[in-house]
């Protein structure tokens, strides 16, 4: 899973073992509140915590974020579809670390949103939760951040 949608981003990671959330945000062009939200939606994304409670992402976590971002933004997966895809392809992608990202969009039954706007912005939220998935335990702060972000998107859409 080291290959991402842009092909070379995983190879540009600084040579270190752990990254703070701000660094991951800059490296992946993903807002910090989105990263925190994805932690609630993707069980494989569980950064360690420092003694002071700061999130410390391993290199594998950063690569997982890049893959999640690619699936949601580039491939048009829903949150639930991306979660399922990552779960189903975890062993396969690790074995194929040379990466051929083309299989993610092939005819292998990968779950796409199938609905306009199903995952735009990577914030599918409740719409990305399928009937079989347990409801995520999302904190009030995360929900408020999500609400504020959606309001900003709505403002942008209304001005266009």
């Amino acid at each position: 899973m080291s290959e991402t949608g842009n092909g070379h981003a995983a190879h540009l990671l600084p040579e270190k073992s752990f990254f703070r959330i701000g660094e991951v945000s800059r490296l992946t062009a993903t807002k910090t509140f989105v990263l925190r939200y994805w932690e609630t939606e993707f069980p494989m994304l569980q950064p360690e915590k420092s003694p002071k409670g700061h999130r410390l992402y391993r290199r594998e976590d950063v690569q997982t974020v890049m893959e999640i971002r690619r699936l949601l933004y580039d491939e048009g997966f829903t949150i639930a579809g991306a979660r399922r895809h990552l779960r189903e392809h975890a062993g396969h992608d690790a074995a194929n670390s040379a990466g051929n990202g083309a299989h993610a969009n092939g005819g292998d039954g990968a779950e796409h949103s199938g609905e306009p706007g199903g995952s735009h912005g990577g914030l599918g939220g409740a719409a990305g939760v399928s009937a079989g998935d347990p409801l995520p335990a999302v904190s009030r702060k995360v929900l408020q951040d999500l609400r504020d972000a959606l309001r900003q998107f709505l403002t942008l859409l209304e001005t266009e």
Side-chain angles (χ1 to χ4, degrees), residues 42-53:
F42 295 94
M44 67 286 300
L45 184 59
Q46 295 298 318
E48 296 181 20
K49 298 282 177 99
S50 73
K52 291 186 176 184

Side-chain angles (χ1 to χ4, degrees), residues 143-160:
L143 291 173
Q144 288 172 334
D145 289 346
L146 184 59
R147 179 197 61 203
D148 294 343
L150 289 171
R151 284 183 178 157
Q152 290 174 348
F153 289 136
L154 184 58
T155 301
L156 285 173
L157 288 173
E158 289 174 344
T159 59
E160 289 183 0

Side-chain angles (χ1 to χ4, degrees), residues 1-5 9-10 13 19 24 27-28 30 34-35 38-39 41-47 57-73 82-83 85-87 89-90 93-94:
M1 187 164 29
S2 65
E3 179 99 358
T4 62
L13 290 178
F19 301 84
V24 176
L27 288 168
T28 63
T30 306
V34 173
L35 293 171
W38 286 352
E39 289 174 28
E41 293 293 327
F42 295 94
M44 67 286 300
L45 184 59
Q46 295 298 318
Y57 289 80
R58 297 174 307 253
R59 294 181 72 78
E60 305 86 58
D61 293 326
V62 178
Q63 292 170 347
T64 299
V65 167
M66 290 176 177
E67 181 68 6
I68 291 169
R69 189 177 199 293
R70 185 186 68 79
L71 291 171
L72 295 175
Y73 293 114
R83 182 186 320 114
H85 177 82
L86 289 172
R87 192 170 33 226
H89 292 86
D93 287 346

Side-chain angles (χ1 to χ4, degrees), residues 122-138:
L123 301 172
V129 176
S130 70
D133 291 338
L135 292 177
V138 180

Side-chain angles (χ1 to χ4, degrees), residues 76-108:
F77 280 71
T78 61
I79 297 265
R83 182 186 320 114
R84 193 171 312 117
H85 177 82
L86 289 172
R87 192 170 33 226
E88 290 171 357
H89 292 86
H92 178 70
D93 287 346
N96 262 343
S97 63
N100 55 355
H103 75 276
N105 201 16
D108 65 351

